[in-house]
Amino acid sequence: MLDFTVIADVSKTLESVLSDALTSVGGTAEIHDLQGSISITPARVTLFLFETFEDPSARNRPPQREVRPPGGLVLHKPPMALELHYLLTPWGGDREAEHRLLGRTLQFFYDHAILSGPPLLGSLAGTDQALKITLVPFPLEERTRVWHAVQKPYRLSLIYKVRVVKLVSTEADTVQPVSRRTLDSALPEGVA
């Protein structure tokens, strides 16, 4: 069941699949908050989740219905669809190594723009969920703001959007089935 761990599970999934892809260029991937020093041995791409918000295209969906014996009905608030924005930065000691890491990252997410099935980890494993991964053309000024916020000098980096991550609500209403109904067939006064 998808619960509050879904954001961490998306990050772990991205770290795992990207680490596997970067082995071909001698690198790895690491979830990182960009604080402190970052090792360049081995070369790596850091994944920094810097923004999370509700996907507006998935709002105002009806409640989900679940029938429970003996004849009960449970209405679940629909899951919240999330967009997660990641800053991916290569750290390789020299520009050539960093450019190889960057190129392999772009190639991998271009080839695997939708992650589903066995690569999904944690609460996502064994579900029908699909992570849609898109390169975001962030203007240089916006990227600079992200680097300023983490108090690091600007570095060449990529920004990817991951959607639709579904965060399941804990709220549900139990509705009793209709056991009896009465129809009044009497006509109103004055109608013949």
Side-chain angles (χ1 to χ4, degrees), residues 102-148:
L102 207 61
R104 182 61 182 125
T105 300
L106 285 162
Q107 181 184 47
F108 178 77
F109 284 128
Y110 182 70
D111 289 345
H112 301 90
I114 299 175
L115 291 176
S116 61
L120 301 179
L121 302 176
S123 64
L124 296 166
T127 67
D128 63 349
Q129 296 301 299
L131 304 179
K132 297 171 184 156
I133 304 164
T134 310
L135 181 64
V136 178
F138 246 48
L140 181 60
E141 184 178 322
E142 295 298 317
R143 289 175 200 260
T144 305
R145 286 185 186 160
V146 173
W147 284 103
H148 180 72

Side-chain angles (χ1 to χ4, degrees), residues 62-67 73-76:
Q64 296 177 333
R65 298 169 182 245
E66 176 187 358
V67 177
L73 180 67
V74 179
L75 299 177
H76 295 278

Side-chain angles (χ1 to χ4, degrees), residues 3-124:
D3 59 15
F4 62 89
T5 65
V6 72
I7 295 170
D9 295 336
V10 169
S11 295
K12 283 191 282 187
T13 297
L14 294 177
E15 180 183 48
S16 175
V17 296
L18 189 54
S19 285
D20 290 346
L22 292 174
T23 58
S24 64
V25 292
T28 189
E30 175 185 18
I31 300 168
H32 205 286
D33 63 3
L34 302 179
Q35 299 302 308
S37 63
I38 298 168
S39 175
I40 56 171
T41 308
R44 69 193 62 233
V45 171
T46 54
L47 294 106
F48 172 52
L49 176 61
F50 71 93
E51 186 173 48
T52 303
F53 57 91
E54 186 175 5
D55 181 358
S57 67
R59 285 191 182 183
N60 301 324
R61 290 171 294 156
Q64 296 177 333
R65 298 169 182 245
E66 176 187 358
V67 177
R68 287 196 185 156
L73 180 67
V74 179
L75 299 177
H76 295 278
K77 191 174 185 177
M80 181 188 332
L82 299 174
E83 273 191 20
L84 310 176
H85 286 196
Y86 289 88
L87 180 74
L88 280 68
T89 309
W91 305 84
D94 64 72
R95 292 289 171 224
E96 186 177 339
E98 291 172 357
H99 290 181
R100 280 194 302 270
L101 291 168
L102 207 61
R104 182 61 182 125
T105 300
L106 285 162
Q107 181 184 47
F108 178 77
F109 284 128
Y110 182 70
D111 289 345
H112 301 90
I114 299 175
L115 291 176
S116 61
L120 301 179
L121 302 176
S123 64
L124 296 166

